[in-house]
Amino acid sequence: MTRSYRRVDGRKARGDRRRTEIVEATLRVIEAEGVIGVSHRSVAREAGVPPASITYHFAGLDDLLVGTLTWSAESMAAEARDLIESSRIKGSNPAAAVAEMLAFAVGPRRGRTMAEYELYLLAARRPELRPAARMWLDVLTSLARHPDEVGFRAFLAGVDGMLMQGLIDDEPPTAAELLPVVEHLLAPLR
């Protein structure tokens, strides 16, 4: 009997892990210092790797920022996909799930959300970041598979607004406070 094994390239797996460590470190630098604090040295220090490792995986700072924003958008889209699927499977109130996700984003995960939004807004000044910035909207729109695409995009714009408002509030809103707004935004889509 012959067994078939899929050969795993350990170098590629290590490289992928290192790349992820670098983009996560970049987000932590942005969280602490803003995009202005991102340099090869600051990210290398945060990631605990030599600066040459940064330039090995990312040709320049713009590539690093694009890579970080892309990774972040993919992560946000995966979280949203999981939330949508979990809500469907459980038959639970999707508005409550969205309100909890938003409250978490502007509460316990506030710093990370600020870092992601800072990158997201940087796309207005740097065209090379725009495809990555639009990615999460495109993924979410495709996940929802809603016949009212305009209404769904309006809902996503409302979510962006709630996140921005939550980030500038002195006290982040709770899921209970966000729920009526989310329900209102979802009402036309039902």
Side-chain angles (χ1 to χ4, degrees):
M1 182 154 132
T2 310
R3 289 188 179 180
S4 173
Y5 291 99
R6 193 173 134 215
R7 187 167 186 189
V8 176
D9 184 349
R11 292 173 298 171
K12 181 172 177 1
R14 281 190 302 278
D16 290 346
R17 274 194 309 274
R18 176 60 54 95
R19 193 173 166 85
T20 298
E21 290 167 358
I22 291 169
V23 297
E24 288 175 335
T26 303
L27 277 173
R28 290 191 301 273
V29 168
I30 296 169
E31 186 176 334
E33 304 173 37
V35 171
I36 195 79
V38 174
S39 68
H40 288 101
R41 289 187 193 282
S42 66
V43 172
R45 186 173 41 254
E46 181 64 34
V49 299
S53 185
I54 309 298
T55 56
Y56 175 80
H57 291 283
F58 299 95
L61 287 180
D62 281 345
D63 290 332
L64 176 60
L65 293 174
V66 167
T68 302
L69 184 55
T70 300
W71 181 86
S72 185
E74 289 169 352
S75 296
M76 282 190 287
E79 288 172 22
R81 182 191 64 240
D82 292 348
L83 177 73
I84 290 168
E85 289 305 313
S86 174
S87 174
R88 283 183 186 151
I89 291 168
K90 293 177 184 175
S92 61
N93 179 1
V98 170
E100 290 207 15
M101 181 185 75
L102 294 173
F104 181 72
V106 297
R109 194 175 168 196
R110 182 184 192 91
R112 167 87 179 260
T113 302
M114 281 192 321
E116 291 168 341
Y117 263 93
E118 191 165 343
L119 276 171
Y120 184 63
L121 291 172
L122 186 62
R125 294 190 186 274
R126 295 200 179 160
E128 61 276 6
L129 290 172
R130 291 179 188 158
R134 285 190 295 264
M135 178 189 303
W136 84 275
L137 291 171
D138 295 338
V139 170
L140 288 177
T141 302
S142 72
L143 283 173
R145 294 183 298 262
H146 201 280
D148 182 1
E149 185 176 332
V150 172
F152 190 70
R153 285 206 177 254
F155 166 74
L156 292 177
V159 166
D160 269 339
M162 285 187 286
L163 286 168
M164 291 299 286
Q165 289 173 4
L167 290 173
I168 62 172
D169 280 345
D170 292 330
E171 288 294 319
T174 65
E177 292 168 335
L178 292 168
L179 182 59
V181 179
V182 173
E183 286 175 333
H184 180 78
L185 290 170
L186 283 174
L189 299 176
R190 291 188 177 143

